[in-house]
Amino acid sequence: LWLLTTRSLVQIQPKEPLIKITYVFFFKSCFCDAATPWQFGLQDPATPIAEGIIKFHHELIFILVFVVVFVSWMLFRILVRFNIEVHPKPTDVVHGTTIEIIWTLIPAFILMVIAVPSFALLYSVDEAVDPAVTLKIVGHQWYWSYEYADYQTEDGDFIMFDSYMLPEDELSLGDLRLLEVDNRVVLPVDTHIRLVVTSADVLHCWTIPSFGVKMDACPGRLNEASLFIQREGVFYGQCSEICGVNHGFMPIAVEALSLEDYIIWVSTQLEDVLF
Amino acid sequence: SSTPSRKMSEIELKTTPRDPRFPNTNQWQHCWTRYNEWVLCLKRTGLDEDACKQQRKFATALCPAEAVEKWDEQRENGCFAGVQVDE
């Protein structure tokens, strides 16, 4: 019931009939690709990076819970056993070489254990792969603009558009407040994509939690990030670097389509550019 | 109609490849180098734009449109800071 109420806001469009039937008859579920009210966990992953982040988060939380329980237990026991009423004369021990060595080495060892999956994820995110698509993202106050310069007309014109947040009075039923935009970014699935993020004025940050992508848009910098979307759907994010009065009102919406649908979209857009 | 299918066959998934000389996150140097490689190509081919289409595409795919427009204007005005082409 909790799943249905919190996650029913996000619609999915499964194309394969078997999956569609499964969703309709067996369980009504959606991928959590947008922020939902009272959300406690991370959004559902759509890229290998996001899956890696969630996996690392699980590994880290296990260790953190252990540390929190241990420290809380020690604190509680000390407060109960060594308060002034129960234990009026405090001890005068000032040294304890063995225990000091133990409580230095064990945390160091825990940190080394944490470092192993952390570095594995960090280096795998930086894997060098030749991209097939480049998307240029420019942050402005207070909207995003996108350029698809891989596909040009004979005059050198290419697909460029601005993406503004839809104000509340323009939302349709089922739309997400503060997340919907007038022109979504369209990208293909199962394709290596290069994102080039920059800004035309102040610092912004292009974020999509489901993709595990967060890249600062700095004026004078072309920050590169890589993306490999593994499933179709609509994914939302919000600007993540304070940029003025409408910082909370310049969201990002990405529509991931199959390669065929993406090519059809590009052709349609190019025709509009031509005419 | 025939027009979309003609366009679809022309659309290929190809973009500026990675350059191992620029492994860092900030790709400004890469963009500047790609643009100058196009200008070098123009210089080498005697301003033949058709022969340098590949280089132009690589530069425009990576560099922001604003930067490309600015450099094109600078080249026209003779104040471009990169590769100089004697016309």
Side-chain angles (χ1 to χ4, degrees):
Chain A
L1 195 65
W2 176 80
L3 270 173
L4 284 173
T5 50
T6 58
R7 294 187 175 204
S8 58
L9 295 168
V10 179
Q11 298 171 3
I12 55 160
Q13 302 91 27
K15 294 236 167 83
E16 295 83 3
L18 191 60
I19 295 176
K20 208 168 190 164
I21 291 165
T22 313
Y23 278 132
V24 169
F25 287 105
F26 290 96
F27 56 97
K28 255 194 163 51
S29 79
C30 333
F31 288 111
C32 182
D33 298 330
T36 51
W38 299 100
Q39 182 176 346
F40 185 68
L42 298 165
Q43 291 181 23
D44 290 328
T47 64
I49 294 175
E51 285 179 356
I53 289 169
I54 289 171
K55 183 167 176 286
F56 176 60
H57 179 258
H58 290 158
E59 288 157 358
L60 199 58
I61 279 285
F62 177 80
I63 296 170
L64 290 183
V65 163
F66 169 74
V67 170
V68 162
V69 163
F70 177 73
V71 170
S72 306
W73 177 246
M74 293 299 293
L75 189 64
F76 173 72
R77 288 292 289 167
I78 288 166
L79 288 173
V80 159
R81 284 277 308 277
F82 298 101
N83 64 70
I84 199 163
E85 279 138 39
V86 171
H87 196 266
K89 188 177 179 303
T91 182
D92 52 3
V93 170
V94 292
H95 293 300
T97 310
T98 315
I99 193 167
E100 284 179 13
I101 289 172
I102 291 169
W103 73 34
T104 306
L105 287 181
I106 288 179
F109 177 70
I110 291 173
L111 287 175
M112 281 191 275
V113 163
I114 292 171
V116 170
S118 174
F119 277 99
L121 178 63
L122 188 66
Y123 280 83
S124 67
V125 164
D126 278 342
E127 274 293 316
V129 179
D130 257 326
V133 173
T134 298
L135 172 68
K136 277 179 275 170
I137 301 157
V138 186
H140 305 258
Q141 279 175 315
W142 287 279
Y143 63 97
W144 296 96
S145 65
Y146 301 102
E147 300 170 19
Y148 292 76
D150 292 328
Y151 323 105
Q152 296 180 15
T153 64
E154 273 156 20
D155 296 328
D157 296 319
F158 48 83
I159 304 165
M160 272 175 79
F161 55 87
D162 296 336
S163 180
Y164 281 83
M165 183 187 84
L166 280 186
E168 227 164 300
D169 50 13
E170 286 179 33
L171 291 176
S172 316
L173 192 66
D175 279 352
L176 302 174
R177 193 180 77 94
L178 302 184
L179 290 175
E180 298 291 351
V181 297
D182 52 3
N183 301 313
R184 289 174 179 165
V185 179
V186 175
L187 288 172
V189 294
D190 295 334
T191 313
H192 289 285
I193 300 164
R194 172 204 272 127
L195 303 172
V196 176
V197 186
T198 186
S199 168
D201 36 45
V202 299
L203 292 179
H204 300 272
C205 185
W206 200 83
T207 310
I208 308 246
S210 280
F211 291 169
V213 157
K214 187 173 278 194
M215 187 52 78
D216 275 2
C218 312
R221 266 183 88 95
L222 290 184
N223 281 335
E224 184 185 67
S226 69
L227 197 54
F228 185 88
I229 312 170
Q230 290 174 309
R231 57 180 167 89
E232 294 175 45
V234 186
F235 306 93
Y236 298 91
Q238 293 173 293
C239 178
S240 300
E241 188 65 45
I242 187 85
C243 53
V245 64
N246 282 339
H247 157 67
F249 308 103
M250 49 181 293
I252 301 128
V254 173
E255 199 168 324
L257 301 177
S258 65
L259 202 53
E260 300 82 36
D261 289 341
Y262 171 73
I263 292 175
I264 292 169
W265 178 84
V266 168
S267 326
T268 320
Q269 293 293 313
L270 270 181
E271 277 177 35
D272 292 341
V273 166
L274 265 178
F275 303 111
Chain B
S1 73
S2 60
T3 320
S5 55
R6 179 176 63 82
K7 282 274 167 358
M8 276 169 68
S9 63
E10 286 171 0
I11 289 165
E12 45 168 5
L13 283 190
K14 203 170 150 227
T15 188
T16 313
R18 288 184 75 94
D19 193 330
R21 294 174 296 174
F22 309 105
N24 297 326
T25 307
N26 188 6
Q27 294 282 294
W28 255 124
Q29 285 289 2
H30 187 189
C31 153
W32 175 245
T33 302
R34 288 279 181 197
Y35 187 85
N36 278 292
E37 275 173 2
W38 171 68
V39 180
L40 258 175
C41 172
L42 284 181
K43 188 173 180 172
R44 242 189 350 254
T45 59
L47 297 177
D48 182 0
E49 297 212 354
D50 287 326
C52 301
K53 263 201 168 120
Q54 162 110 318
Q55 281 84 350
R56 177 75 181 173
K57 200 156 167 277
F58 283 172
T60 50
L62 183 63
C63 300
E66 209 181 80
V68 173
E69 270 169 40
K70 185 177 79 173
W71 293 330
D72 286 344
E73 209 181 292
Q74 283 177 351
R75 280 182 53 248
E76 274 167 39
N77 297 337
C79 54
F80 181 59
V83 173
Q84 301 300 313
V85 177
D86 301 318
E87 295 195 31

